[in-house]
Amino acid sequence: MPQALVSRAGVAFEDREYWNSVLLISEAGSALACCPILGYLLDASGTRQGPYLSGLVLLLASMIIFTASHSVTWYIIARGLQGAATAMVSVAGLSIVTDAVDKASLGQMVGYLGTAMTLGFMSGPLLGGVVYEIGGFYAVFSMAFGIIALDFLLRLAVVEKRIAERWLCLTDGERPSQENGHIPEHPPYGALGTINSSPHTITVISKSTFALGKLLKQPRILISLWAVIVGALVVSAFDATLPVFVEDKFQWNVLGAGLIFLPGASVAIFQPFFGLLSDRLGSRVIAFASFATLAPSLICLRFVEENSPFQIALLCVILGLVGICIDLSEPALIVEMQRVLDDMEAADPGVLGGRGAVAQAFSLENMAHFGGLALGPMVGGFVEFKYGWKVMTLALGILSAVTAIPMLWLSGPMEEVSWTESADEEMEREPLLME
């Protein structure tokens, strides 16, 4: 994009970093605005397929605008559409994973998803730089349209767990469960309903499905959201400044500016292992260790001062360590969000509504993520532009050190059997007889 802004949109060369930061902020701001609305709609409707396909349509529209436009205004509009599409995919994707997997291994499964998301976010500049160097501007977007076509086929192939269960129930001649939008013939005692004095009358008590206010009152959720903001802020700060830094410091071209993201992107393959650690050790230890290590790593970037093989190697090593710290924290923070939901339901069954608030919780997580992505170019691009690389990396390091402290208030290791699984097993052993 820095090159395209100059060659296609007529931006002055010295202003390319500023406008690239504006585009990143536009994308993140759009995603930030869309997340809460989408999260509520996902929980209220109970389906993930619609938002998936809607996100794809918005993504296609943004790519068409990027390909055809020659103005900064249209680039900003395209980034806004891209942000909305990303929000839809992220919230729906996390919701599908939590619907489908066992809570005891949630961290590991989120790690697999995190690997895909991180590789996507961080390999974009790498692929863009390589393809731009070989084939030019239009080759980059030809690749993008091919990815969208594959994406469309894969999304149509997804069958949600709750939809599959409904098909199986109907095939077996059973009535669909209340979770699928129907009231069962003989519901169990619990959050979804009570039985009044008439033996044949069921009174369903359904608490509000809008749970964002309740979630934001939970201290552990607020701590987790702050950590997500900081992690995303660091990533987007480098998105805005790192290409320009290596161009100026090492006289690299677009290809080199893309390749410099490889050390941070490659470590994302370890996220499933990091998620497994979160399942075993709990979110507290993992999140604290990640931010405590991230702080000195960021501050050490000030030692990259000249164009030499040693300095280039030092930059790559530090960027790899920064990537490890951020990837280590992400599964732990998502697992923590799910554990807070479980604790809320355990304390007050049905407090989050009949279908729960998984999508709304992850919409908050994505709001924090995109909020950090919006702040990153400000802290990175604008601070680096005015005060220099060393001040920017020092500020990020101090911010990470401060963030490590509240991580000590997160949860520890999870019990082998969650309260929800135990309750489900108890209901299976003692079915409710209505008549």
Side-chain angles (χ1 to χ4, degrees):
M1 288 309 304
Q3 291 285 342
L5 284 167
V6 174
S7 62
R8 293 176 60 84
V11 171
F13 181 81
E14 60 272 16
D15 295 333
R16 71 195 190 284
E17 184 176 356
Y18 170 83
W19 284 108
N20 192 43
S21 298
V22 170
L23 292 181
L24 292 172
I25 293 171
S26 301
E27 179 182 2
S30 173
L32 180 68
C34 291
C35 277
I37 301 172
L38 177 63
Y40 174 74
L41 292 177
L42 278 168
D43 282 332
S45 66
T47 181
R48 321 299 193 196
Q49 183 84 342
Y52 250 33
L53 297 177
S54 299
L56 185 62
V57 172
L58 290 177
L59 181 60
L60 177 62
S62 71
M63 290 298 102
I64 292 174
I65 294 174
F66 268 129
T67 305
S69 299
H70 290 79
S71 72
V72 172
T73 300
W74 280 107
Y75 279 177
I76 292 175
I77 293 173
R79 278 294 195 191
L81 293 175
Q82 192 174 13
T86 304
M88 290 182 177
V89 173
S90 300
V91 177
L94 283 170
S95 301
I96 286 176
V97 169
T98 54
D99 288 345
V101 304
D102 177 61
K103 290 187 177 67
S105 58
L106 178 60
Q108 185 176 13
M109 298 308 298
V110 167
Y112 284 109
L113 184 60
T115 295
M117 293 176 65
T118 302
L119 288 175
F121 276 119
M122 300 191 72
S123 62
L126 171 62
L127 288 174
V130 172
V131 176
Y132 184 91
E133 183 73 13
I134 297 173
F137 180 85
Y138 289 106
V140 174
F141 289 94
S142 297
M143 176 184 65
F145 288 124
I147 292 174
I148 291 174
L150 176 61
D151 200 359
F152 182 82
L153 296 177
L154 291 175
R155 293 189 197 193
L156 290 179
V158 171
V159 178
E160 301 173 38
K161 181 180 179 181
R162 63 184 64 193
I163 301 298
E165 289 176 343
R166 185 183 305 173
W167 290 348
L168 292 174
C169 287
L170 294 175
T171 301
D172 295 337
E174 301 175 7
R175 293 175 61 88
S177 64
Q178 197 273 344
E179 181 184 3
N180 295 325
H182 302 274
I183 300 175
E185 185 175 358
H186 301 307
Y189 288 107
L192 300 179
T194 58
I195 304 171
N196 65 10
S197 59
S198 174
H200 298 289
T201 304
I202 301 172
T203 302
V204 176
I205 301 176
S206 180
K207 300 188 179 181
S208 174
T209 57
F210 187 78
L212 291 179
K214 300 172 186 176
L215 297 175
L216 289 174
K217 294 179 181 178
Q218 302 299 315
R220 285 158 53 199
I221 283 187
L222 294 177
I223 293 172
S224 300
L225 293 178
W226 171 250
V228 172
I229 290 174
V230 173
L233 188 153
V234 171
V235 170
S236 62
F238 286 119
D239 282 344
T241 62
L242 193 56
V244 177
F245 176 77
V246 297
E247 286 177 8
D248 294 339
K249 187 69 66 176
F250 305 141
Q251 288 75 54
W252 287 1
N253 56 14
V254 176
L255 176 61
L259 289 173
I260 195 58
F261 286 92
L262 185 59
S266 60
V267 298
I269 62 175
F270 299 111
Q271 267 206 354
F273 174 69
F274 297 155
L276 180 62
L277 291 179
S278 299
D279 290 331
R280 298 293 183 267
L281 303 178
S283 302
R284 181 191 308 129
V285 173
I286 299 300
F288 175 79
S290 63
F291 284 99
T293 307
L294 180 61
S297 302
L298 291 168
I299 295 175
C300 285
L301 285 168
R302 63 177 36 242
F303 299 122
V304 180
E305 296 182 311
E306 61 184 25
N307 186 4
S308 68
F310 174 77
Q311 295 276 287
I312 294 173
L314 177 63
L315 176 62
C316 292
V317 169
I318 295 176
L319 290 177
L321 186 57
V322 169
I324 287 175
C325 293
I326 294 175
D327 290 339
L328 180 64
S329 67
E330 287 181 350
L333 297 174
I334 293 176
V335 168
E336 184 68 15
M337 301 280 285
Q338 180 62 57
R339 292 183 182 178
V340 173
L341 296 180
D342 293 343
D343 292 343
M344 292 176 68
E345 283 287 353
D348 185 6
V351 66
L352 300 176
R355 290 192 174 97
V358 169
Q360 291 177 80
F362 290 140
S363 73
L364 288 176
E365 190 271 342
N366 276 272
M367 286 179 67
H369 177 78
F370 291 115
L373 292 181
L375 290 173
M378 300 178 192
V379 176
F382 300 153
V383 173
E384 196 274 342
F385 178 78
K386 188 171 184 179
Y387 299 104
W389 174 262
K390 292 184 178 180
V391 174
M392 184 204 75
T393 54
L394 177 62
L396 293 178
I398 294 174
L399 180 63
S400 299
V402 171
T403 302
I405 299 174
M407 298 303 104
L408 296 174
W409 276 266
L410 300 183
S411 61
M414 188 174 65
E415 297 179 359
E416 290 295 326
V417 181
S418 67
W419 72 271
T420 52
E421 294 169 335
S422 300
D424 290 342
E425 293 172 359
E426 184 67 22
M427 289 177 184
E428 291 176 0
R429 287 194 297 267
E430 299 180 8
L432 176 65
L433 299 180
M434 299 288 294
E435 298 175 335

